[in-house]
Amino acid sequence: MASDWIGCLVSIHCGPTLGVYQGEVSSIDQSSQTISLRHPFHNGVKCTVPEVTFSAMDIKDLKILEIRKSTSEVPKQNGPDSRSTLTPQGGRKDKGGAALGNSAPLTVLNKTEPKTQEEGVSPVPAYSKSYGERHMDMAAQNKGFRRRHNSWSSSCRGPNQATPKKNGLKNGGLMKNKDDECFGDGMEDVPDEDFDFEGNLALFDKAAVFSQIESSERRGNGARSRGTPGEQTPSRYRHDENILEAKPVVYRQITVPQNETKEYSTDSGLVVPSISFELHKRLIAAAESHGLSLERRLEMTGVCASQMALTLLGGPNRLTPKNVHQRPTVALLCGPHVQGAQGISCGRHLANHEVEVILFLPNFVKMLEAITSELALFGKTGGKLVSNVKDLPETPVDLVINCLDSHENGFLREQPWYKAAADWANQNRAPVLSIDPPVSGQAHAVEAKWSLSLGLPLPVSEDAGRVYLCDIGIPRQVFQEVGIKYHSPFGCKFVIPLHSE
């Protein structure tokens, strides 16, 4: 009879649009195929209307939560966990029997009557256990399913609905019954078995995939394929590389009329040939005829040589205001010629940058005018000038700059002051920088670690150390006048390293 189910607490699932309703069955009309609930809850929230009526066409599933009447009124079943099913029209069928109705069956659990309401308890129908807890307990017993922590609760909550609070006193009021966050459905969709990660990983042929990646990276000079296997892909570029198509790079941009045996190359691969001393003299003479005087060349050489020396001394790591107590010491060994004047100019710029400079220059009755003018400027820097090797430091200095040698006056090597200065430099154990060293035909009395050539390098010997090249400001057309096809290899610098071919 339909009246047997009046007063039961049920859960009606009306699909994703209408949602899930829970409440107490107030009436069942078999003729109109409707069922009414009093004190209804919609998706876990109490409805504002006292009663809701549903048509059998809207009901997707109906489940009994509590049987409010005596269990004797319900058909007896075998065992405490036995079930009978009820159609939305009130029809009933036994386990294994035929249904008396034509709609979806409803699960009915044989439970004892709920406890009567106690004092201080809200009159709203109370559930001994929420539907979510009850259903999960059944799943754990029947299927061995491990409960997850309310992962489905957020999808069942309305957009403006807050999480239901736990039981407790509010301003000394009555205690409220405890409900779950929601009474959501869909627990049947949870898989009974854990996902087989090892089995699915075995389906992935990792060796074949990595082999394909490596072959695509080797294709086209390291270009990686990003599309179909036959697709033409561009090469990879550096962050500072121009991607626009340009003319092929010409690395031999400097050609000389007389091919010397020694050639150098820059860091970027440009070829820099060496020139003979005779061609070097012609180039300097052509530059002087156009106004590039000796004073200008001395200044450019001094600036470039001092910049290189400051870098060798440690640069910004050494020359800082916090490191004043450890000023670097440089010993300058100069001869009475143009190369010596270049060294004095370098010493003046070093002294201006807070470097302690000790200048050695032998006494001569008559000096070159360039040396006299450079010495006058050097005297204003506070640097130390000595003419005897005994006045040079006995302890090692930070750097020795060698300007003793001349390209033309080879007889100076036999002078006692020259030999004494060369012996001191070799025994001081400090690194040596040679400025404008002589050609390879002349022996080097002082073994250098670095050498600085001017304009274009001369074919120096291996004793000159690593060769650097500085720009002294000779224009391109001046090179062309002496038969040299010239394009500047310096780029953005004034001093560049050269590598032997």
Side-chain angles (χ1 to χ4, degrees), residues 248-254 264-273 489:
V249 180
V250 179
Y251 291 100
R252 187 176 295 274
Q253 299 181 0
I254 302 175
Y264 301 90
S265 61
T266 64
D267 290 338
S268 58
L270 298 178
V271 178
V272 180

Side-chain angles (χ1 to χ4, degrees), residues 144-189:
F145 177 73
R146 294 178 296 176
R147 179 176 180 180
R148 294 184 295 177
H149 177 68
N150 289 335
S151 59
W152 45 268
S153 60
S154 59
S155 62
C156 301
R157 193 182 307 144
N160 299 323
Q161 177 185 354
T163 303
K165 297 182 179 179
K166 295 183 178 180
N167 295 341
L169 293 175
K170 182 177 180 182
N171 298 328
L174 300 177
M175 294 288 293
K176 292 187 176 181
N177 293 327
K178 177 182 176 181
D179 291 329
D180 274 354
E181 291 182 348
C182 69
F183 301 95
D185 201 354
M187 295 298 295
E188 293 83 358
D189 299 335

Side-chain angles (χ1 to χ4, degrees), residues 9-303:
L9 301 181
V10 298
S11 173
I12 299 178
H13 186 8
C14 299
T17 303
L18 297 179
V20 180
Y21 288 82
Q22 298 88 23
E24 180 182 349
V25 178
S26 59
S27 65
I28 299 176
D29 189 349
Q30 292 183 344
S31 61
S32 60
Q33 295 289 296
T34 59
I35 182 173
S36 299
L37 301 182
R38 69 166 65 98
H39 306 301
F41 284 76
H42 178 218
N43 291 336
V45 181
K46 186 176 180 180
C47 299
T48 57
V49 296
E51 190 176 67
V52 179
T53 302
F54 302 92
S55 174
M57 298 177 60
D58 298 330
I59 298 175
K60 305 299 182 182
D61 189 15
L62 189 151
K63 296 182 180 180
I64 304 298
L65 302 180
E66 290 287 345
I67 301 176
R68 303 300 297 270
K69 292 196 174 188
S70 174
T71 55
S72 60
E73 300 180 13
V74 182
K76 297 294 184 177
Q77 304 292 332
N78 296 327
D81 292 335
S82 301
R83 301 183 182 183
S84 63
T85 57
L86 177 71
T87 62
Q89 293 77 10
R92 184 169 64 245
K93 72 174 182 179
D94 294 332
K95 186 175 181 181
L100 301 180
N102 55 1
S103 60
L106 306 177
T107 302
V108 179
L109 300 180
N110 291 330
K111 294 290 182 178
T112 59
E113 281 190 15
K115 294 181 180 180
T116 57
Q117 297 180 359
E118 300 177 3
E119 277 191 359
V121 180
S122 172
V124 179
Y127 307 150
S128 61
K129 273 193 175 183
S130 66
Y131 166 73
E133 292 180 349
R134 189 183 309 281
H135 192 77
M136 293 179 71
D137 290 343
M138 293 167 52
Q141 295 173 3
N142 299 335
K143 300 182 180 180
F145 177 73
R146 294 178 296 176
R147 179 176 180 180
R148 294 184 295 177
H149 177 68
N150 289 335
S151 59
W152 45 268
S153 60
S154 59
S155 62
C156 301
R157 193 182 307 144
N160 299 323
Q161 177 185 354
T163 303
K165 297 182 179 179
K166 295 183 178 180
N167 295 341
L169 293 175
K170 182 177 180 182
N171 298 328
L174 300 177
M175 294 288 293
K176 292 187 176 181
N177 293 327
K178 177 182 176 181
D179 291 329
D180 274 354
E181 291 182 348
C182 69
F183 301 95
D185 201 354
M187 295 298 295
E188 293 83 358
D189 299 335
V190 180
D192 297 338
E193 299 180 358
D194 292 339
F195 182 75
D196 188 6
F197 288 97
E198 296 183 359
N200 283 268
L201 184 60
L203 301 177
F204 174 64
D205 192 354
K206 185 164 57 176
V209 173
F210 278 102
S211 176
Q212 183 179 3
I213 294 175
E214 292 175 0
S215 62
S216 62
E217 288 182 346
R218 290 193 298 267
R219 188 187 307 129
N221 296 327
R224 176 177 292 182
S225 176
R226 292 180 175 85
T228 58
E231 182 181 355
Q232 186 70 21
T233 56
S235 301
R236 290 180 291 182
Y237 299 95
R238 299 194 312 270
H239 68 281
D240 57 349
E241 187 176 357
N242 187 10
I243 64 174
L244 300 179
E245 295 184 1
K247 297 180 180 179
V249 180
V250 179
Y251 291 100
R252 187 176 295 274
Q253 299 181 0
I254 302 175
T255 56
V256 296
Q258 300 175 356
N259 293 327
E260 294 294 331
T261 58
K262 199 169 187 62
E263 287 187 341
Y264 301 90
S265 61
T266 64
D267 290 338
S268 58
L270 298 178
V271 178
V272 180
S274 61
I275 59 176
S276 62
F277 178 66
E278 289 75 13
L279 184 58
H280 177 77
K281 289 194 300 183
R282 289 170 51 197
L283 178 62
I284 296 300
E288 287 184 353
S289 65
H290 290 283
L292 190 60
S293 61
L294 176 61
E295 289 77 12
R296 289 188 175 183
R297 299 200 311 273
L298 291 178
E299 193 67 19
M300 284 294 300
T301 304
V303 170

